[in-house]
Amino acid sequence: EASESRKSPHSAVGVVANAPDSSLSDPQTQRNFDDTIKTLYRRVETMLRVNHYASIHYRARHYWFCFVPISSCIGLSGILALANAFNISGGARLWVGLSACAFALLAFLLGFLQTRFGWSSRAEIHSSAQMELSQVAFRLDSLRMYQNGKLLSETLSSDSRAHAIRDLYRIDVYLQAMQQCTPDPPESIYEAFHLLTSRMRLMWLRYPHVVKHR
């Protein structure tokens, strides 16, 4: 259930939902546009942070649980194999050879586990998602020029208004698709950000004027 709640799309309300049916000169369109762009900003920022820390988490797991142990096992196996080439007693040579084989098998097993868990590929996916979200955030910044009554400005053509609303709708759909395609972040990271956003929402409901001022 937790995984499904993470994957469930949180559609931006207002102008995104009502864009096809709303009049572009209606003041409600401007209010919906402003509310929607703020909602998308929060979603993009949260997804950016979650993917950033998820990438760090999986990269650290790959390094400490796969790369370092596998490299150590291969190195030790090579050293023992070289030591076995020297003139040592028969009993010691047997144990050295067995130890070299054991480290080689351990390296093979860790390599299989690395492929099984795929921490490196998960880190790359979250890192790529972070880069794409940065581009989405840049596009949202370019749409801020239409906030605070500027969407209904007389100097703005109806085509420009329609393009701005359409871009906002596309960003909302793109974020939903990204949430569906990106692997789940670690449970601890998701819970931490869920708690943070819940408390921020509660703070906004209690002190809306203070939050808006800041």
Side-chain angles (χ1 to χ4, degrees), residues 94-142:
L94 176 63
W95 284 108
V96 169
L98 290 176
S99 298
C101 291
F103 281 117
L105 289 174
L106 184 57
F108 175 79
L109 177 62
L110 290 173
F112 173 77
L113 293 177
Q114 174 185 359
T115 306
R116 175 68 176 81
F117 290 111
W119 287 324
S120 178
S121 59
R122 283 173 175 261
E124 290 298 328
I125 291 174
H126 285 291
S127 180
S128 299
Q130 181 186 356
M131 295 180 61
E132 292 181 13
L133 286 167
S134 299
Q135 297 177 358
V136 173
F138 178 79
R139 180 53 185 157
L140 277 175
D141 283 335
S142 66

Side-chain angles (χ1 to χ4, degrees), residues 17-34:
N18 301 324
D21 302 322
S22 301
S23 172
L24 296 181
S25 60
D26 186 1
Q28 184 63 35
T29 301
Q30 180 69 67
R31 290 190 291 270
N32 290 341
F33 185 91
D34 293 347

Side-chain angles (χ1 to χ4, degrees), residues 10-194:
H10 303 285
S11 301
V13 295
V15 66
V16 171
N18 301 324
D21 302 322
S22 301
S23 172
L24 296 181
S25 60
D26 186 1
Q28 184 63 35
T29 301
Q30 180 69 67
R31 290 190 291 270
N32 290 341
F33 185 91
D34 293 347
D35 292 341
T36 301
I37 201 170
K38 291 176 183 177
T39 301
L40 292 178
Y41 259 117
R42 289 193 293 269
R43 287 176 59 192
V44 169
E45 185 64 25
T46 301
M47 292 174 66
L48 261 172
R49 299 294 181 181
V50 168
N51 282 280
H52 172 70
Y53 288 111
S55 176
I56 294 176
H57 173 82
Y58 287 124
R59 191 173 289 112
R61 280 198 170 189
H62 169 74
Y63 182 79
W64 291 110
F65 296 124
C66 292
F67 178 77
V68 171
I70 291 174
S71 301
S72 301
C73 289
I74 292 175
L76 289 172
S77 179
I79 292 173
L80 291 173
L82 289 175
N84 202 27
F86 291 100
N87 188 17
I88 56 178
S89 61
R93 176 173 295 183
L94 176 63
W95 284 108
V96 169
L98 290 176
S99 298
C101 291
F103 281 117
L105 289 174
L106 184 57
F108 175 79
L109 177 62
L110 290 173
F112 173 77
L113 293 177
Q114 174 185 359
T115 306
R116 175 68 176 81
F117 290 111
W119 287 324
S120 178
S121 59
R122 283 173 175 261
E124 290 298 328
I125 291 174
H126 285 291
S127 180
S128 299
Q130 181 186 356
M131 295 180 61
E132 292 181 13
L133 286 167
S134 299
Q135 297 177 358
V136 173
F138 178 79
R139 180 53 185 157
L140 277 175
D141 283 335
S142 66
L143 292 176
R144 294 184 65 180
M145 61 180 294
Y146 301 107
Q147 281 186 293
N148 302 322
K150 296 179 182 178
L151 184 67
L152 304 181
S153 174
E154 295 181 356
T155 59
L156 199 65
S157 65
S158 58
D159 288 340
S160 298
R161 296 191 191 100
H163 284 309
I165 294 175
R166 191 177 299 114
D167 286 346
L168 208 60
Y169 171 77
R170 289 173 177 170
I171 289 174
D172 178 57
V173 173
Y174 182 76
L175 292 178
Q176 293 180 43
M178 181 174 290
Q179 284 181 319
Q180 295 291 329
C181 297
T182 306
D184 289 337
E187 189 71 23
S188 57
I189 295 177
Y190 173 77
E191 291 296 337
F193 275 91
H194 179 71

